Amino acid sequence: MKHLLFIGILLASGFSYAQDSATVYSPKRAVILQGASNFRDLGGYPTQDGKTVVWGKIYRSADIGKLTDADLQMLQSINLKTVCDFRGPDELKSSPDRLPTGVNYINLPAGSEKTSTSQTASLMSPTVNRDSLMGSFYQNMEPFKARYKPVFDQLLTEQSEPLLFHCTAGKDRTGIGAALILSALGVSKEYVLADYQATDVYWASSRERMKEMMIKQGIPEDRLKSMLAANPAYLQKTFEVIEKQYGSMASYLEKEMELTSEKLAILRKKYTK
């Protein structure tokens, strides 16, 4: 009953998903922290071969630069071992990660700084279509290998788990990363898109604060809607460009993420059951 009430409250917010929404919104999924939002477990999703992604091994999040001491204790309690941070130099300077002692930290900006600056400048232009701008970001595969292959390499390393990957909002760079990881584990696209859109709930309070900050920087409020929304149509663009250029997600993961059949088998053995 408690679980059903939790699901009902979230769905009342206006979100509906294909498949089993209870799998997307599980009480186990969110890691509640005082100094960060959108921190959640990728466990619990069903795979197409009848298994389930294991809990407590792979996490995704927004910025974790403002964690409290209690938050650090929480990360210690989940035995966090590795953090992959997709942010660029300016983002790191303004909010460096705060982590428990001993956590392996890996920075994978892969052009994040250039992309962030370009997006902000484009948002200031009244002639730019913001949905097209976001769609272009999700179709630009140039930084994907440098950003995401090291995450897969870490997932294949015994000492890396549990692992967290994140950016500033935990939506775009992190959303693509989650899509590739869940796809590699055999989770269907419907669930992957649902996990992506769930950011609109898990990041809600922080999104409002970021919107206020960007408005103060001179960006008109009506131009922020596209940039700050987790619209599944954006992530769908990634799937489309992968399928167009490589024929399938499986082919892309093999050629660009170097997930051979042997590595894929190891990954699924470790993270599904």
Side-chain angles (χ1 to χ4, degrees), residues 111-203:
S112 290
E113 199 69 17
K114 181 178 178 181
T115 300
S116 177
T117 302
S118 175
Q119 277 189 326
T120 301
S122 297
L123 283 168
M124 298 293 287
S125 172
T127 62
V128 170
N129 182 299
R130 264 69 68 183
D131 284 326
S132 295
L133 172 67
M134 293 303 298
S136 296
F137 173 84
Y138 280 84
Q139 293 177 86
N140 178 20
M141 298 173 62
E142 183 178 350
F144 283 17
K145 187 168 186 175
R147 182 175 293 150
Y148 303 119
K149 182 184 178 298
V151 181
F152 281 110
D153 292 342
Q154 287 298 313
L155 290 173
L156 288 163
T157 302
E158 290 292 338
Q159 293 77 22
S160 69
E161 58 186 41
L163 177 145
L164 164 71
F165 58 97
H166 80 94
C167 54
T168 294
K171 178 175 76 73
D172 302 314
R173 292 163 289 185
T174 296
I176 294 171
L180 296 179
I181 291 169
L182 290 174
S183 295
L185 295 178
V187 176
S188 70
K189 183 165 68 174
E190 288 78 11
Y191 279 113
V192 173
L193 293 174
D195 176 78
Y196 170 77
Q197 193 178 8
T199 286
D200 277 338
V201 171
Y202 290 111
W203 188 55

Side-chain angles (χ1 to χ4, degrees), residues 178-234:
L180 296 179
I181 291 169
L182 290 174
S183 295
L185 295 178
V187 176
S188 70
K189 183 165 68 174
E190 288 78 11
Y191 279 113
V192 173
L193 293 174
D195 176 78
Y196 170 77
Q197 193 178 8
T199 286
D200 277 338
V201 171
Y202 290 111
W203 188 55
S205 59
S206 295
R207 181 178 60 239
E208 291 306 307
R209 289 194 294 271
M210 180 172 285
K211 183 173 73 173
E212 292 174 5
M213 178 187 70
M214 296 180 80
I215 289 173
K216 290 179 180 178
Q217 292 176 349
I219 301 176
E221 183 174 358
D222 65 327
R223 297 178 193 171
L224 293 174
K225 183 177 180 180
S226 296
M227 183 177 181
L228 299 180
N231 183 346
Y234 300 155

Side-chain angles (χ1 to χ4, degrees), residues 8-149:
I9 291 172
L10 289 168
L11 293 182
S13 302
F15 295 91
S16 60
Y17 298 102
Q19 308 278 343
D20 178 11
S21 61
T23 305
V24 177
Y25 290 122
S26 168
K28 294 172 64 174
R29 189 166 306 289
V31 177
I32 306 302
L33 301 172
Q34 298 171 356
S37 64
N38 203 16
F39 196 124
R40 60 191 201 261
D41 197 324
L42 285 185
Y45 289 116
T47 65
Q48 296 177 81
D49 61 356
K51 296 183 179 181
T52 303
V53 179
V54 296
W55 292 99
K57 296 291 186 179
I58 311 174
Y59 298 90
R60 56 175 293 175
S61 177
D63 171 26
I64 55 171
K66 298 178 177 61
L67 298 184
T68 65
D69 289 344
D71 292 338
L72 294 182
Q73 291 179 3
M74 173 64 78
L75 296 190
Q76 287 178 324
S77 74
I78 65 173
N79 199 31
L80 187 66
K81 297 294 187 184
T82 300
V83 170
C84 295
D85 183 354
F86 301 142
R87 298 174 304 154
D90 282 353
E91 293 169 292
L92 297 182
K93 185 177 180 180
S94 64
S95 184
D97 280 0
R98 188 170 187 227
L99 297 169
T101 301
V103 172
N104 178 32
Y105 173 82
I106 304 170
N107 184 217
L108 301 167
S112 290
E113 199 69 17
K114 181 178 178 181
T115 300
S116 177
T117 302
S118 175
Q119 277 189 326
T120 301
S122 297
L123 283 168
M124 298 293 287
S125 172
T127 62
V128 170
N129 182 299
R130 264 69 68 183
D131 284 326
S132 295
L133 172 67
M134 293 303 298
S136 296
F137 173 84
Y138 280 84
Q139 293 177 86
N140 178 20
M141 298 173 62
E142 183 178 350
F144 283 17
K145 187 168 186 175
R147 182 175 293 150
Y148 303 119
K149 182 184 178 298

